[in-house]
Amino acid sequence: MNSSSGKSYMSTASSSVLWKAGGDVVADQFPAGLRVLLVDDDPTCLMILEKMLKACQYNVTKCNRAETALSMLRENRNGFDIVISDVHMPDMDGFKLLEHIGLEMDLPVIMMSADDGKNVVMKGVTHGACDYLIKPVRIEALKNIWQHVVRKRKNEWKDFEQSGSVEEGDRQPKQSEDADYSSSANEGNWKSSKRRKDDEDENDERDDTSTLKKPRVVWSVELHQQFVAAVNQLGIEKAVPKKILELMNVPGLTRENVASHLQKYRLYLRRLCGVSQHPSNLNNSFMNPQDATFGPLDLQALAATGQLPAQSLATLQAAGLGRSTAKSGIPMPLIDQRNIFSFENPKLRFGEAQQQHVSNNKQTNLLHGIPTTMEPKQLAGLHHTAQSMGNMNMPVLSHGSQSSQNNPLLMQMAQPQARGQMLNDSTVGLAPRLLSPRGQSMLSNGMATNVSTRNGVPENIRAPSYNPVSQTSSMLNFPMNHTSELPGNSFPLVSTPGISSLAPKVAFQEDVNSEIKGSVGFMPSYDIFNDLNQHKPQNWELQNVGMMFNSSQHSNSLQGNLDHTQSILVQQGFLSGQNRNSTVISKAMFSAGDSTGHVNAQNSNQHLNSLLDNTVRVKSERVADTAPANLYPDHFGQEDLMSALLKQQDIIAPAENNDFDFDGYSIDNIPV
Amino acid sequence: MESKHVNQQIAAMRRSFFDEEVLDEKFSQLEQLEGKDNPNFVEEVFTMYFKDSTAFLETIEEAMKTIPIDSIIVDNILHQLKGSSASVGANKVLKEVNKITRQVLGKGNLEGTKASILKLRKEYDSFKAKLEPYFQLKQANSVAQVK
């Protein structure tokens, strides 16, 4: 519905919103009715300019003091579309006023002066004036000032779109449509826009009204991966939109697109940090470009593979880790990973290293932060899945964005879920893309769908996308939902909504195994998801639970990472088909670190469940829609999952066997 | 008849302003802004302009008498005069203002600008003396025409 609703929303919004800020809708007569605030201490000029602006059919408010103007703007933030101010004023310097307006209201400001010296004009530019007029001002110059308003809104819109791609989903219930367009409501806008974004076609809607043409940028998983890669390369601290844009080298992408996306990404990261109790590892890793250890690692690998479910895993893991606090180290990675996922392909975070990690086995990341060492293969698999999952995940993330695209993160997240840890935190991770706030919900969604509300209401979380399957396990069903109905098992893995979706798809393929190995936690999820896709009604629940469980708390229960793993494994076990379950679970458990090996599946399940509960936070809304079953590549059979998991560990040959060789896959692997 | 004569007189006055370059095209633009709902717009603008500018000039002249000359005040006023004169189309006044501004910037010595300021004062007074009767005539004529 997103799309449709979004669309309609968009169109109406666009047309009406354009000048609706103040409540007057004059879209049709645009630019007539443009609300101009005129500030000049010279009464003669003030009179003349007012007359000229009125002749242009603008709505003019004049004042001769900067202070008055500022208070007017503050009182009525949405009351004006553009400000024209003189430079030389007795009570306040025009540039200062310009700064204030830019910071507080973010309205376009045109500076005016009789002074045409280059320095002054330059000052205007550097202070952010969108235009500089030399007195005497001609009416012709005033006739075109509306372009600045349009331009600014267009850019804002674009930003929204970008960031929103993931989220749009169902997440936002048509938020203030108006918000979208008013320059002031940036975040809100993007949310709405995001929602709409689910469907790419929303763009059209927007163009309706005015001349505004905002091409929407959809942050696909690949694009996000590129973004994350660029960010990692630059260093999260130093990543500025311009440089990121250059590194990404994507034609048609603007700095504004990147900037808004970066903003969301940062929020997401922050969220992860906040989530994970043990921020240090995971978050750090995640946050620091360098850390690729865990999160990025896997995620990267995953990302590399494709939307890197690993990322989601990582994110999930990170998230889970973070949340679970229990395991300091591990959870974090997950979270990060999750984050990664959220951001479409978190993989960036981890840097390319992940890929390698992935290949090798210890992808632990996912779990603990374990760098989702999802072997590249897995990643690929994940990717694959992720892609499909992406759809799935996305839904979770982005408001149930059905558009999987949007949720590339979800996918990833879903995958990471397998990581188990992520599960818990998956919510966090998954949605990263969504923009933190969204992400969260998204994750939850994704996860929730599977997990059914994080809190434990695992209902199929992801309801929409995830398939109802999740419900079973209550939570576990995370993103797995996507998978077309995760086989009944609420793929608990999905703790991170996003992840779940991803998980299945991603690595499950064979890589999943490897992932499992490494990530312990995650892998399973992937597998699980995949399986789910396959529609294996296995008890994903457990798995999901595990995943989720891990993420959030499992650490406590399961033992931290191990738990994750276990859960994942458990889940995996489920995935693999019931029979394997135990094995898998055991393995998972084992790998989780505790080598409990066969942790009682039940136990793990329980754990998982509990985890799920925690992780379920995800809002279920999203999950459901994900596309489908993308979570798990169809071909992921349980065996595959297992193999994948196993492989993860060490790129093991797809061993169908359940013995995961979690070789040394201790939770410590978390390359945080 | 009378009005016609007066109209011609008004038109002639106006033309002379342009011929002498006392006014520039900005003035025409202001005239275009006039409409049925505000037929005296240009006059209102000029009324305001003369009021403010007279005050500005007096301030500058006062400032020039102080020792040392407060350059900030002088700068600000010059800037103001520049903006408003340009906006109404007071061509010659604007030119004088610009001259002084350049002198001030170049020499940094306000003493030397005293002579220029005197010139500015003369131009301004002359300008005012021409425009004010013009508007009065216009006003009278429109009233008469209404009758």
Side-chain angles (χ1 to χ4, degrees), chain A residues 166 268 312 315-316 338-339 341-343 396-397 409-410 412-414 416-417 425-434 439 442-443 446-447 462 466 479 494-500 502 618:
Chain A
V166 174
Y268 168 79
S312 7
T315 326
L316 289 172
R338 285 199 303 184
N339 293 335
F341 291 106
S342 333
F343 281 93
V396 173
L397 289 178
L409 289 180
L410 281 178
Q412 313 206 333
M413 304 259 250
Q417 299 213 336
D425 292 330
S426 42
T427 20
V428 176
L430 291 178
R433 260 297 295 205
L434 300 180
M442 303 274 295
L443 284 179
M447 302 220 308
R462 311 280 225 121
Y466 288 90
V494 185
S495 27
T496 41
I499 305 191
S500 35
L502 292 176
V618 179

mmCIF file of all heavy atoms in Angstrom, chain A residues 166 268 312 315-316 338-339 341-343 396-397 409-410 412-414 416-417 425-434 439 442-443 446-447 462 466 479 494-500 502 618:
data_model
loop_
_atom_site.group_PDB
_atom_site.id
_atom_site.type_symbol
_atom_site.label_atom_id
_atom_site.label_comp_id
_atom_site.label_asym_id
_atom_site.label_seq_id
_atom_site.Cartn_x
_atom_site.Cartn_y
_atom_site.Cartn_z
ATOM 1 N N VAL A 166 14.529 3.274 2.210
ATOM 2 C CA VAL A 166 14.360 2.060 2.967
ATOM 3 C C VAL A 166 13.133 2.092 3.814
ATOM 4 O O VAL A 166 12.418 1.138 3.954
ATOM 5 C CB VAL A 166 15.543 1.893 3.912
ATOM 6 C CG1 VAL A 166 15.298 0.714 4.781
ATOM 7 C CG2 VAL A 166 16.749 1.684 3.068
ATOM 8 N N TYR A 268 21.434 6.098 12.429
ATOM 9 C CA TYR A 268 21.342 4.666 12.607
ATOM 10 C C TYR A 268 22.486 4.161 13.465
ATOM 11 O O TYR A 268 22.298 3.390 14.404
ATOM 12 C CB TYR A 268 21.391 3.998 11.234
ATOM 13 C CG TYR A 268 21.582 2.521 11.318
ATOM 14 C CD1 TYR A 268 20.520 1.696 11.608
ATOM 15 C CD2 TYR A 268 22.835 1.972 11.149
ATOM 16 C CE1 TYR A 268 20.707 0.354 11.708
ATOM 17 C CE2 TYR A 268 23.013 0.620 11.255
ATOM 18 C CZ TYR A 268 21.946 -0.188 11.520
ATOM 19 O OH TYR A 268 22.115 -1.515 11.615
ATOM 20 N N SER A 312 23.092 -7.268 7.610
ATOM 21 C CA SER A 312 21.992 -7.195 8.521
ATOM 22 C C SER A 312 22.356 -8.031 9.684
ATOM 23 O O SER A 312 22.104 -7.714 10.816
ATOM 24 C CB SER A 312 20.739 -7.725 7.904
ATOM 25 O OG SER A 312 21.008 -8.278 6.681
ATOM 26 N N THR A 315 24.490 -6.205 11.689
ATOM 27 C CA THR A 315 23.741 -5.200 12.361
ATOM 28 C C THR A 315 22.934 -5.850 13.412
ATOM 29 O O THR A 315 22.854 -5.417 14.539
ATOM 30 C CB THR A 315 22.778 -4.567 11.387
ATOM 31 O OG1 THR A 315 23.378 -4.551 10.127
ATOM 32 C CG2 THR A 315 22.435 -3.216 11.868
ATOM 33 N N LEU A 316 22.391 -6.862 12.999
ATOM 34 C CA LEU A 316 21.556 -7.535 13.951
ATOM 35 C C LEU A 316 22.391 -7.947 15.112
ATOM 36 O O LEU A 316 22.037 -7.792 16.249
ATOM 37 C CB LEU A 316 20.942 -8.761 13.305
ATOM 38 C CG LEU A 316 19.891 -8.385 12.275
ATOM 39 C CD1 LEU A 316 19.453 -9.603 11.541
ATOM 40 C CD2 LEU A 316 18.732 -7.721 12.965
ATOM 41 N N ARG A 338 24.096 -5.095 12.256
ATOM 42 C CA ARG A 338 22.763 -4.773 11.937
ATOM 43 C C ARG A 338 22.731 -3.463 11.296
ATOM 44 O O ARG A 338 22.070 -3.230 10.342
ATOM 45 C CB ARG A 338 21.990 -4.689 13.198
ATOM 46 C CG ARG A 338 21.771 -6.037 13.648
ATOM 47 C CD ARG A 338 20.718 -5.987 14.536
ATOM 48 N NE ARG A 338 21.147 -5.055 15.515
ATOM 49 C CZ ARG A 338 20.499 -4.788 16.531
ATOM 50 N NH1 ARG A 338 19.411 -5.356 16.720
ATOM 51 N NH2 ARG A 338 20.915 -3.937 17.351
ATOM 52 N N ASN A 339 23.459 -2.678 11.866
ATOM 53 C CA ASN A 339 23.433 -1.363 11.294
ATOM 54 C C ASN A 339 23.732 -1.484 9.861
ATOM 55 O O ASN A 339 23.160 -0.861 9.018
ATOM 56 C CB ASN A 339 24.518 -0.515 11.916
ATOM 57 C CG ASN A 339 24.172 -0.306 13.337
ATOM 58 O OD1 ASN A 339 23.015 -0.366 13.677
ATOM 59 N ND2 ASN A 339 25.149 -0.094 14.141
ATOM 60 N N PHE A 341 23.184 -3.546 8.074
ATOM 61 C CA PHE A 341 22.082 -3.936 7.260
ATOM 62 C C PHE A 341 21.171 -2.802 7.069
ATOM 63 O O PHE A 341 20.649 -2.558 6.030
ATOM 64 C CB PHE A 341 21.316 -5.033 7.954
ATOM 65 C CG PHE A 341 22.108 -6.246 7.987
ATOM 66 C CD1 PHE A 341 22.695 -6.669 9.130
ATOM 67 C CD2 PHE A 341 22.318 -6.929 6.832
ATOM 68 C CE1 PHE A 341 23.451 -7.788 9.145
ATOM 69 C CE2 PHE A 341 23.088 -8.051 6.858
ATOM 70 C CZ PHE A 341 23.643 -8.484 8.012
ATOM 71 N N SER A 342 21.009 -2.235 8.084
ATOM 72 C CA SER A 342 20.018 -1.222 7.935
ATOM 73 C C SER A 342 20.377 -0.358 6.802
ATOM 74 O O SER A 342 19.578 0.088 6.040
ATOM 75 C CB SER A 342 19.961 -0.338 9.148
ATOM 76 O OG SER A 342 20.382 -1.057 10.208
ATOM 77 N N PHE A 343 21.552 -0.152 6.753
ATOM 78 C CA PHE A 343 21.879 0.750 5.709
ATOM 79 C C PHE A 343 22.042 0.027 4.438
ATOM 80 O O PHE A 343 23.037 0.076 3.806
ATOM 81 C CB PHE A 343 23.190 1.419 6.029
ATOM 82 C CG PHE A 343 22.924 2.472 6.993
ATOM 83 C CD1 PHE A 343 23.024 2.225 8.321
ATOM 84 C CD2 PHE A 343 22.552 3.694 6.541
ATOM 85 C CE1 PHE A 343 22.764 3.216 9.204
ATOM 86 C CE2 PHE A 343 22.305 4.678 7.430
ATOM 87 C CZ PHE A 343 22.422 4.427 8.751
ATOM 88 N N VAL A 396 10.175 -4.639 6.098
ATOM 89 C CA VAL A 396 10.209 -4.489 7.528
ATOM 90 C C VAL A 396 10.761 -3.160 7.885
ATOM 91 O O VAL A 396 10.245 -2.437 8.690
ATOM 92 C CB VAL A 396 11.168 -5.514 8.102
ATOM 93 C CG1 VAL A 396 11.321 -5.222 9.550
ATOM 94 C CG2 VAL A 396 10.560 -6.849 7.883
ATOM 95 N N LEU A 397 11.759 -2.947 7.296
ATOM 96 C CA LEU A 397 12.393 -1.733 7.682
ATOM 97 C C LEU A 397 11.587 -0.546 7.320
ATOM 98 O O LEU A 397 11.278 0.284 8.087
ATOM 99 C CB LEU A 397 13.715 -1.629 6.964
ATOM 100 C CG LEU A 397 14.652 -2.640 7.563
ATOM 101 C CD1 LEU A 397 15.935 -2.573 6.845
ATOM 102 C CD2 LEU A 397 14.840 -2.298 9.007
ATOM 103 N N LEU A 409 18.250 -3.208 3.289
ATOM 104 C CA LEU A 409 18.784 -3.380 4.600
ATOM 105 C C LEU A 409 18.089 -4.498 5.286
ATOM 106 O O LEU A 409 18.657 -5.306 5.956
ATOM 107 C CB LEU A 409 18.543 -2.120 5.385
ATOM 108 C CG LEU A 409 19.427 -1.024 4.851
ATOM 109 C CD1 LEU A 409 19.167 0.199 5.644
ATOM 110 C CD2 LEU A 409 20.848 -1.448 4.988
ATOM 111 N N LEU A 410 16.909 -4.459 5.088
ATOM 112 C CA LEU A 410 16.184 -5.466 5.794
ATOM 113 C C LEU A 410 16.739 -6.793 5.434
ATOM 114 O O LEU A 410 16.963 -7.649 6.220
ATOM 115 C CB LEU A 410 14.727 -5.422 5.366
ATOM 116 C CG LEU A 410 14.022 -4.297 6.080
ATOM 117 C CD1 LEU A 410 12.619 -4.234 5.623
ATOM 118 C CD2 LEU A 410 14.079 -4.556 7.553
ATOM 119 N N GLN A 412 19.344 -7.524 4.557
ATOM 120 C CA GLN A 412 20.555 -7.814 5.196
ATOM 121 C C GLN A 412 20.298 -8.086 6.604
ATOM 122 O O GLN A 412 20.850 -8.916 7.240
ATOM 123 C CB GLN A 412 21.354 -6.599 5.123
ATOM 124 C CG GLN A 412 21.203 -6.234 3.751
ATOM 125 C CD GLN A 412 22.323 -5.495 3.376
ATOM 126 O OE1 GLN A 412 22.917 -4.894 4.171
ATOM 127 N NE2 GLN A 412 22.644 -5.577 2.156
ATOM 128 N N MET A 413 19.471 -7.393 7.037
ATOM 129 C CA MET A 413 19.244 -7.573 8.407
ATOM 130 C C MET A 413 18.732 -8.918 8.605
ATOM 131 O O MET A 413 19.103 -9.637 9.474
ATOM 132 C CB MET A 413 18.186 -6.646 8.798
ATOM 133 C CG MET A 413 18.619 -5.341 8.427
ATOM 134 S SD MET A 413 19.187 -4.619 9.807
ATOM 135 C CE MET A 413 18.039 -3.569 10.003
ATOM 136 N N ALA A 414 17.953 -9.225 7.814
ATOM 137 C CA ALA A 414 17.369 -10.519 8.049
ATOM 138 C C ALA A 414 18.468 -11.508 8.119
ATOM 139 O O ALA A 414 18.514 -12.380 8.943
ATOM 140 C CB ALA A 414 16.472 -10.868 6.895
ATOM 141 N N PRO A 416 21.443 -11.182 8.830
ATOM 142 C CA PRO A 416 22.255 -11.164 10.025
ATOM 143 C C PRO A 416 21.503 -11.777 11.125
ATOM 144 O O PRO A 416 22.012 -12.303 12.054
ATOM 145 C CB PRO A 416 22.432 -9.711 10.290
ATOM 146 C CG PRO A 416 22.092 -9.065 9.061
ATOM 147 C CD PRO A 416 21.254 -9.972 8.235
ATOM 148 N N GLN A 417 20.366 -11.710 10.975
ATOM 149 C CA GLN A 417 19.633 -12.247 12.067
ATOM 150 C C GLN A 417 20.140 -13.598 12.336
ATOM 151 O O GLN A 417 20.265 -14.065 13.419
ATOM 152 C CB GLN A 417 18.213 -12.347 11.654
ATOM 153 C CG GLN A 417 17.799 -10.972 11.355
ATOM 154 C CD GLN A 417 16.413 -10.880 11.706
ATOM 155 O OE1 GLN A 417 15.759 -11.895 11.723
ATOM 156 N NE2 GLN A 417 15.967 -9.721 12.003
ATOM 157 N N ASP A 425 19.025 -7.352 18.508
ATOM 158 C CA ASP A 425 19.131 -5.970 18.174
ATOM 159 C C ASP A 425 18.732 -5.711 16.773
ATOM 160 O O ASP A 425 18.812 -4.640 16.282
ATOM 161 C CB ASP A 425 20.566 -5.524 18.327
ATOM 162 C CG ASP A 425 20.863 -5.565 19.759
ATOM 163 O OD1 ASP A 425 19.933 -5.356 20.514
ATOM 164 O OD2 ASP A 425 21.977 -5.830 20.109
ATOM 165 N N SER A 426 18.442 -6.710 16.249
ATOM 166 C CA SER A 426 18.169 -6.530 14.853
ATOM 167 C C SER A 426 17.351 -5.316 14.608
ATOM 168 O O SER A 426 17.516 -4.609 13.676
ATOM 169 C CB SER A 426 17.454 -7.726 14.331
ATOM 170 O OG SER A 426 16.509 -8.098 15.277
ATOM 171 N N THR A 427 16.541 -5.141 15.418
ATOM 172 C CA THR A 427 15.733 -3.997 15.126
ATOM 173 C C THR A 427 16.605 -2.852 14.861
ATOM 174 O O THR A 427 16.380 -2.046 14.009
ATOM 175 C CB THR A 427 14.932 -3.586 16.341
ATOM 176 O OG1 THR A 427 15.561 -4.135 17.439
ATOM 177 C CG2 THR A 427 13.581 -4.136 16.196
ATOM 178 N N VAL A 428 17.549 -2.858 15.599
ATOM 179 C CA VAL A 428 18.384 -1.702 15.416
ATOM 180 C C VAL A 428 19.058 -1.745 14.092
ATOM 181 O O VAL A 428 19.060 -0.823 13.331
ATOM 182 C CB VAL A 428 19.467 -1.703 16.473
ATOM 183 C CG1 VAL A 428 20.375 -0.560 16.217
ATOM 184 C CG2 VAL A 428 18.790 -1.591 17.803
ATOM 185 N N GLY A 429 19.586 -2.810 13.924
ATOM 186 C CA GLY A 429 20.382 -2.848 12.723
ATOM 187 C C GLY A 429 19.562 -2.763 11.481
ATOM 188 O O GLY A 429 19.871 -2.062 10.567
ATOM 189 N N LEU A 430 18.608 -3.445 11.511
ATOM 190 C CA LEU A 430 17.904 -3.515 10.274
ATOM 191 C C LEU A 430 17.572 -2.190 9.712
ATOM 192 O O LEU A 430 17.778 -1.913 8.580
ATOM 193 C CB LEU A 430 16.616 -4.265 10.494
ATOM 194 C CG LEU A 430 16.951 -5.688 10.767
ATOM 195 C CD1 LEU A 430 15.717 -6.421 11.024
ATOM 196 C CD2 LEU A 430 17.664 -6.221 9.577
ATOM 197 N N ALA A 431 17.055 -1.553 10.492
ATOM 198 C CA ALA A 431 16.575 -0.364 9.878
ATOM 199 C C ALA A 431 17.567 0.680 9.608
ATOM 200 O O ALA A 431 17.253 1.727 9.221
ATOM 201 C CB ALA A 431 15.550 0.185 10.769
ATOM 202 N N PRO A 432 18.664 0.447 9.828
ATOM 203 C CA PRO A 432 19.564 1.565 9.692
ATOM 204 C C PRO A 432 19.214 2.379 8.505
ATOM 205 O O PRO A 432 19.251 3.559 8.502
ATOM 206 C CB PRO A 432 20.905 0.942 9.485
ATOM 207 C CG PRO A 432 20.718 -0.451 9.681
ATOM 208 C CD PRO A 432 19.279 -0.763 9.900
ATOM 209 N N ARG A 433 18.938 1.750 7.574
ATOM 210 C CA ARG A 433 18.684 2.559 6.471
ATOM 211 C C ARG A 433 17.558 3.396 6.696
ATOM 212 O O ARG A 433 17.500 4.490 6.376
ATOM 213 C CB ARG A 433 18.330 1.670 5.373
ATOM 214 C CG ARG A 433 19.291 1.430 4.542
ATOM 215 C CD ARG A 433 19.830 2.296 3.858
ATOM 216 N NE ARG A 433 18.889 2.748 3.014
ATOM 217 C CZ ARG A 433 18.651 3.210 2.079
ATOM 218 N NH1 ARG A 433 19.185 3.368 1.769
ATOM 219 N NH2 ARG A 433 17.863 3.604 1.400
ATOM 220 N N LEU A 434 16.747 2.808 7.299
ATOM 221 C CA LEU A 434 15.590 3.562 7.454
ATOM 222 C C LEU A 434 15.819 4.851 8.078
ATOM 223 O O LEU A 434 15.076 5.702 8.081
ATOM 224 C CB LEU A 434 14.704 2.785 8.347
ATOM 225 C CG LEU A 434 14.501 1.539 7.621
ATOM 226 C CD1 LEU A 434 13.639 0.723 8.411
ATOM 227 C CD2 LEU A 434 13.908 1.862 6.349
ATOM 228 N N GLY A 439 14.532 3.052 11.274
ATOM 229 C CA GLY A 439 15.175 1.759 11.278
ATOM 230 C C GLY A 439 14.659 0.986 12.437
ATOM 231 O O GLY A 439 14.287 -0.157 12.368
ATOM 232 N N MET A 442 11.711 -0.181 11.826
ATOM 233 C CA MET A 442 11.780 -1.092 10.748
ATOM 234 C C MET A 442 12.265 -2.383 11.231
ATOM 235 O O MET A 442 11.752 -3.422 10.980
ATOM 236 C CB MET A 442 12.757 -0.576 9.747
ATOM 237 C CG MET A 442 12.355 0.757 9.308
ATOM 238 S SD MET A 442 11.240 0.661 8.040
ATOM 239 C CE MET A 442 12.201 -0.036 6.887
ATOM 240 N N LEU A 443 13.248 -2.238 11.918
ATOM 241 C CA LEU A 443 13.805 -3.482 12.344
ATOM 242 C C LEU A 443 12.743 -4.223 13.053
ATOM 243 O O LEU A 443 12.475 -5.378 12.854
ATOM 244 C CB LEU A 443 14.924 -3.210 13.321
ATOM 245 C CG LEU A 443 16.141 -2.746 12.578
ATOM 246 C CD1 LEU A 443 17.217 -2.458 13.551
ATOM 247 C CD2 LEU A 443 16.549 -3.838 11.651
ATOM 248 N N GLY A 446 10.649 -5.484 10.773
ATOM 249 C CA GLY A 446 11.121 -6.657 10.089
ATOM 250 C C GLY A 446 11.134 -7.719 11.116
ATOM 251 O O GLY A 446 10.631 -8.803 10.983
ATOM 252 N N MET A 447 11.679 -7.347 12.111
ATOM 253 C CA MET A 447 11.824 -8.346 13.082
ATOM 254 C C MET A 447 10.536 -8.615 13.689
ATOM 255 O O MET A 447 10.105 -9.694 13.884
ATOM 256 C CB MET A 447 12.700 -7.823 14.156
ATOM 257 C CG MET A 447 13.952 -7.458 13.529
ATOM 258 S SD MET A 447 15.226 -7.893 14.494
ATOM 259 C CE MET A 447 14.794 -7.204 15.893
ATOM 260 N N ARG A 462 7.156 -9.112 11.210
ATOM 261 C CA ARG A 462 7.138 -8.667 9.922
ATOM 262 C C ARG A 462 5.931 -8.934 9.235
ATOM 263 O O ARG A 462 5.753 -9.234 8.296
ATOM 264 C CB ARG A 462 8.062 -9.406 9.281
ATOM 265 C CG ARG A 462 9.064 -9.440 9.835
ATOM 266 C CD ARG A 462 9.841 -8.755 9.871
ATOM 267 N NE ARG A 462 10.998 -9.031 9.766
ATOM 268 C CZ ARG A 462 11.803 -8.899 9.274
ATOM 269 N NH1 ARG A 462 11.771 -8.572 8.843
ATOM 270 N NH2 ARG A 462 12.767 -9.066 9.199
ATOM 271 N N TYR A 466 6.929 -10.284 6.158
ATOM 272 C CA TYR A 466 7.511 -11.519 6.527
ATOM 273 C C TYR A 466 6.534 -12.576 6.528
ATOM 274 O O TYR A 466 6.078 -12.912 6.962
ATOM 275 C CB TYR A 466 7.979 -11.412 7.885
ATOM 276 C CG TYR A 466 9.109 -10.569 7.824
ATOM 277 C CD1 TYR A 466 8.940 -9.258 7.949
ATOM 278 C CD2 TYR A 466 10.321 -11.064 7.643
ATOM 279 C CE1 TYR A 466 10.032 -8.474 7.871
ATOM 280 C CE2 TYR A 466 11.372 -10.255 7.583
ATOM 281 C CZ TYR A 466 11.187 -8.983 7.686
ATOM 282 O OH TYR A 466 12.197 -8.239 7.633
ATOM 283 N N PRO A 479 12.108 -10.771 10.159
ATOM 284 C CA PRO A 479 12.124 -10.445 8.771
ATOM 285 C C PRO A 479 12.020 -11.639 7.951
ATOM 286 O O PRO A 479 11.722 -11.641 6.831
ATOM 287 C CB PRO A 479 13.442 -9.851 8.541
ATOM 288 C CG PRO A 479 13.994 -9.647 9.843
ATOM 289 C CD PRO A 479 13.133 -10.275 10.864
ATOM 290 N N VAL A 494 15.001 -13.756 12.834
ATOM 291 C CA VAL A 494 14.856 -12.428 12.430
ATOM 292 C C VAL A 494 14.921 -11.394 13.475
ATOM 293 O O VAL A 494 14.490 -10.348 13.316
ATOM 294 C CB VAL A 494 13.528 -12.326 11.861
ATOM 295 C CG1 VAL A 494 13.395 -11.059 11.345
ATOM 296 C CG2 VAL A 494 13.431 -13.373 10.875
ATOM 297 N N SER A 495 15.366 -11.647 14.412
ATOM 298 C CA SER A 495 15.281 -10.597 15.407
ATOM 299 C C SER A 495 15.381 -9.266 14.776
ATOM 300 O O SER A 495 14.632 -8.386 15.012
ATOM 301 C CB SER A 495 16.387 -10.671 16.398
ATOM 302 O OG SER A 495 17.425 -11.259 15.812
ATOM 303 N N THR A 496 16.253 -9.134 14.025
ATOM 304 C CA THR A 496 16.259 -7.832 13.438
ATOM 305 C C THR A 496 15.416 -7.945 12.244
ATOM 306 O O THR A 496 15.708 -8.598 11.313
ATOM 307 C CB THR A 496 17.618 -7.530 12.929
ATOM 308 O OG1 THR A 496 18.059 -8.704 12.348
ATOM 309 C CG2 THR A 496 18.455 -7.220 14.087
ATOM 310 N N PRO A 497 14.506 -7.339 12.308
ATOM 311 C CA PRO A 497 13.568 -7.483 11.238
ATOM 312 C C PRO A 497 14.251 -7.500 9.941
ATOM 313 O O PRO A 497 13.994 -8.266 9.064
ATOM 314 C CB PRO A 497 12.728 -6.257 11.329
ATOM 315 C CG PRO A 497 13.029 -5.717 12.627
ATOM 316 C CD PRO A 497 14.258 -6.322 13.157
ATOM 317 N N GLY A 498 15.077 -6.667 9.889
ATOM 318 C CA GLY A 498 15.685 -6.627 8.586
ATOM 319 C C GLY A 498 16.442 -7.881 8.414
ATOM 320 O O GLY A 498 16.472 -8.519 7.396
ATOM 321 N N ILE A 499 16.996 -8.193 9.373
ATOM 322 C CA ILE A 499 17.895 -9.302 9.214
ATOM 323 C C ILE A 499 17.193 -10.535 8.835
ATOM 324 O O ILE A 499 17.605 -11.286 7.997
ATOM 325 C CB ILE A 499 18.576 -9.582 10.522
ATOM 326 C CG1 ILE A 499 19.205 -8.292 10.944
ATOM 327 C CG2 ILE A 499 19.527 -10.667 10.287
ATOM 328 C CD1 ILE A 499 20.085 -8.493 12.037
ATOM 329 N N SER A 500 16.230 -10.687 9.459
ATOM 330 C CA SER A 500 15.615 -11.959 9.163
ATOM 331 C C SER A 500 15.398 -12.065 7.699
ATOM 332 O O SER A 500 15.640 -13.058 7.082
ATOM 333 C CB SER A 500 14.306 -12.092 9.874
ATOM 334 O OG SER A 500 13.719 -10.853 9.921
ATOM 335 N N LEU A 502 16.866 -10.896 5.586
ATOM 336 C CA LEU A 502 18.098 -11.078 4.875
ATOM 337 C C LEU A 502 18.624 -12.434 5.126
ATOM 338 O O LEU A 502 19.037 -13.149 4.262
ATOM 339 C CB LEU A 502 19.106 -10.077 5.413
ATOM 340 C CG LEU A 502 18.689 -8.689 5.038
ATOM 341 C CD1 LEU A 502 19.645 -7.751 5.663
ATOM 342 C CD2 LEU A 502 18.744 -8.589 3.547
ATOM 343 N N VAL A 618 10.812 -5.096 17.183
ATOM 344 C CA VAL A 618 10.552 -4.606 15.862
ATOM 345 C C VAL A 618 9.084 -4.403 15.640
ATOM 346 O O VAL A 618 8.272 -5.124 16.128
ATOM 347 C CB VAL A 618 11.003 -5.679 14.889
ATOM 348 C CG1 VAL A 618 10.736 -5.214 13.533
ATOM 349 C CG2 VAL A 618 12.453 -5.924 15.145
#
